[in-house]
């Protein structure tokens, strides 16, 4: 009878190994709880901030993956264009930057064809003081103020100097496949109609 209460793994796994695995699991769960709490706070702050042209929400029940949007800033060639982003948060967030990609293809000097972004605050300049709101605002600002000295898209960087030609190429690329993402197109629809 006493043998029924014995852990069958204890005969195979030494107790110190089992204890270490349990401690590692606890650290991971505690770390994820801390990150979850931070992300929940950031979500609330973003929702209450009222910043025009940026938004982000968890992708379903996954708090570590968000879907964001940014609208091109006024007075730039991107004005009126809306872009969808995917934000993925590591378990070491906020000490490690989130991975952010454009889901809507974006013709821009600092964005490649796969949606990868070249922005220093998402790489070597990242600090735990940044949050989702500041990153989205930085990305929105980047649309109108690219770093053409460090391009991921050489064609866009080359065209940037001629804003008239750049805007023509940008809108041609955008309108061909992504008209549903144009801000005017989206905002003029009654709220109850779907985008597509």
């Amino acid at each position: 009878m006493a043998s029924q209460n014995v852990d069958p793994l204890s005969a195979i796994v030494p107790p110190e190994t089992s204890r270490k695995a349990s401690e590692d699991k606890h650290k991971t769960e505690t770390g994820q709880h801390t990150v979850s709490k931070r992300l929940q706070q950031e979500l609330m702050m973003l929702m209450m901030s009222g910043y025009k042209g940026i938004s982000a929400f968890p992708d379903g029940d996954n708090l570590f993956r968000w879907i964001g949007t940014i609208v091109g800033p006024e007075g730039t060639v991107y004005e009126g264009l809306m872009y969808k982003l995917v934000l993925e948060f590591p378990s070491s967030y906020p000490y490690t930057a989130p991975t952010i990609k454009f889901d809507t293809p974006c013709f821009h000097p600092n964005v490649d064809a796969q949606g990868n972004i070249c922005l220093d605050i998402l790489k070597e300049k990242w600090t735990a003081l940044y949050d989702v709101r500041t990153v989205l605002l930085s990305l929105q600002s980047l649309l109108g103020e690219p770093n053409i000295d460090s391009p991921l898209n050489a064609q866009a960087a080359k065209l940037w100097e001629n804003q008239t030609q750049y805007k023509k190429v940008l809108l041609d690329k955008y309108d061909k496949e992504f008209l549903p993402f144009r801000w005017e197109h989206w905002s003029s629809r009654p709220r109850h109609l779907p985008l597509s």
Side-chain angles (χ1 to χ4, degrees):
M1 280 295 206
S3 65
Q4 289 178 340
N5 295 329
V6 176
D7 180 4
L9 291 179
S10 64
I12 302 168
V13 179
E16 60 275 357
T17 304
S18 178
R19 186 173 30 255
K20 180 168 178 5
S22 177
E23 288 171 2
D24 289 346
K25 182 180 176 189
H26 177 71
K27 284 180 184 177
T28 301
E29 288 172 357
T30 303
Q32 286 181 338
H33 175 72
T34 303
V35 175
S36 294
K37 188 173 178 181
R38 163 87 183 235
L39 289 171
Q40 288 170 347
Q41 290 172 340
E42 288 190 29
L43 177 61
M44 282 302 215
M45 287 174 50
L46 186 62
M47 288 171 43
M48 298 180 80
S49 70
Y51 279 99
K52 185 178 178 183
I54 63 168
S55 68
F57 296 95
D59 186 10
D61 291 334
N62 186 352
L63 197 56
F64 287 81
R65 179 182 162 92
W66 291 20
I67 304 300
T69 57
I70 57 174
V71 176
E74 293 180 16
T76 71
V77 293
Y78 291 92
E79 182 174 350
L81 302 180
M82 186 166 63
Y83 291 92
K84 183 177 166 185
L85 304 158
V86 175
L87 299 83
E88 294 183 342
F89 300 91
S91 58
S92 54
Y93 182 80
Y95 303 105
T96 304
T99 300
I100 302 177
K101 286 182 150 188
F102 277 89
D103 195 38
T104 307
C106 180
F107 182 73
H108 188 277
N110 303 117
V111 180
D112 70 13
Q114 290 75 42
N116 297 307
I117 304 163
C118 181
L119 182 62
D120 59 357
I121 68 164
L122 294 177
K123 307 278 188 250
E124 73 277 356
K125 300 273 184 174
W126 176 260
T127 171
L129 297 175
Y130 291 130
D131 59 14
V132 173
R133 180 187 56 83
T134 57
V135 169
L136 291 175
L137 289 171
S138 294
L139 288 171
Q140 189 180 46
S141 177
L142 181 70
L143 287 178
E145 301 171 19
N147 178 359
I148 58 173
D149 295 329
S150 179
L152 285 178
N153 181 333
Q155 179 193 11
K158 187 175 179 181
L159 281 175
W160 184 256
E161 294 304 318
N162 182 342
Q163 288 288 282
T164 305
Q165 184 63 29
Y166 186 92
K167 187 172 183 173
K168 181 183 180 317
V169 172
L170 170 68
L171 294 179
D172 283 349
K173 288 181 178 292
Y174 195 90
D175 284 343
K176 278 183 185 169
E177 299 180 44
F178 305 103
L179 184 59
F181 291 102
R182 284 292 286 273
W183 179 248
E184 306 89 56
H185 180 77
W186 180 74
S187 63
S188 64
R189 291 172 171 257
R191 293 242 183 241
H192 64 281
L193 293 179
L195 289 177
S196 51

